[in-house]
């Protein structure tokens, strides 16, 4: 307390000074009240604390409302920041989930493509294996004919069937026996063909020009070859007589 200039008397505060002191005290009380309000308290609690201690400073302006508005504004700003942070976290989580989903989809697509490629390769390998097995069975089923008259006739008949040349086992056999007695090396050196320099040869006694003209592809070009001789003669007989079965004498 300041000493008075007049000894023994105390200086009294004028009206303006009193109001200033009252204002400062009220502001201090208001600040103390705000510091005691819990963080989660709403604007209503803060408003009640402020209205409980109205403050008027020297110029007479109501400062309590200004302080209350500032606190409400700060609270609103804090809520906005919290909401913005939550929104950012949600956006980041959504982006992360989207990236993970895309990576999963890509991995699944790659796995599916790999599985399809493996299945296609397996199918191709299986088809090749089946083809090879079929070829092997075909080779295994190919008949092996005996190297004798019966075998030659049967092999010739198989070729004739493939080429569409008519004839039967009986028709071939009877003409072979009459012409050469089953001797594939038989040759006629005394008939008119022999005199003309083109003797008849082989199982069915075919001359060279006839053999060459009616030769069946796939057989040896040799008059003495049993199968080639039979098929060429049967081809000739089919052209001239309809079938070797229709030949009952020299032809």
């Amino acid at each position: 307390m300041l000493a008075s200039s007049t000894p023994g008397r105390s200086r009294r505060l004028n009206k303006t000074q009193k109001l200033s002191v009252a204002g400062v005290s009220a502001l201090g009380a208001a600040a103390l009240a705000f510091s005691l309000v819990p963080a989660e308290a709403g604007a209503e609690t803060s408003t009640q604390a402020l209205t409980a201690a109205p403050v008027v400073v020297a110029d007479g302006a109501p400062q309590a409302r200004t302080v209350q508005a500032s606190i409400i504004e700060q609270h609103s700003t804090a809520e906005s920041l919290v909401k913005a942070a939550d929104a950012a976290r949600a956006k980041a989580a959504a982006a992360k989930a989207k990236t993970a989903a895309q990576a999963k989809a890509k991995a699944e697509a790659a796995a599916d493509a790999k599985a399809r490629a493996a299945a296609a390769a397996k199918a191709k390998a299986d088809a090749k294996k089946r083809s090879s097995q079929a070829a092997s069975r075909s080779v295994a089923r190919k008949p092996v004919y005996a190297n004798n008259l019966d075998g030659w006739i049967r092999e010739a008949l198989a070729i004739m069937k493939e080429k569409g040349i008519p004839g039967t086992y009986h028709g071939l056999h009877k003409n072979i026996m009459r012409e050469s007695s089953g001797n594939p090396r038989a040759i006629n050196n005394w008939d008119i063909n022999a005199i003309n320099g083109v003797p008849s040869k082989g199982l069915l006694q075919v001359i060279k020009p006839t053999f060459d003209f009616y030769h069946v592809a796939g057989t040896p070009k040799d008059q003495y070859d049993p199968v080639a001789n039979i098929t060429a003669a049967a081809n000739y007989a089919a052209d001239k007589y309809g079938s070797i079965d229709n030949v009952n004498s020299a032809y």
Side-chain angles (χ1 to χ4, degrees), residues 18-34 47-68:
K18 288 179 180 179
L19 290 173
S20 298
V21 171
V24 170
S25 299
L27 286 173
L32 179 60
F34 293 149
T47 303
Q48 292 174 354
L50 287 172
T51 57
V55 179
V56 180
V57 293
D59 57 2
Q63 297 300 313
R65 294 179 181 176
T66 302
V67 173
Q68 180 182 359

Side-chain angles (χ1 to χ4, degrees), residues 79-138:
E79 286 184 346
S80 299
L81 292 174
V82 170
K83 289 180 179 179
D86 290 342
R89 282 193 295 271
K91 185 176 181 180
K96 184 177 180 181
K98 183 178 180 181
T99 301
Q102 290 175 340
K104 182 180 179 181
K106 186 176 181 180
E108 289 177 348
D112 184 62
K114 185 176 180 180
R116 289 177 180 273
K122 185 177 184 301
K124 186 176 181 180
D126 289 344
K128 185 176 180 181
K129 183 178 179 180
R130 287 193 298 270
S131 178
S132 177
Q133 290 174 342
S136 297
R137 287 193 297 270
S138 178

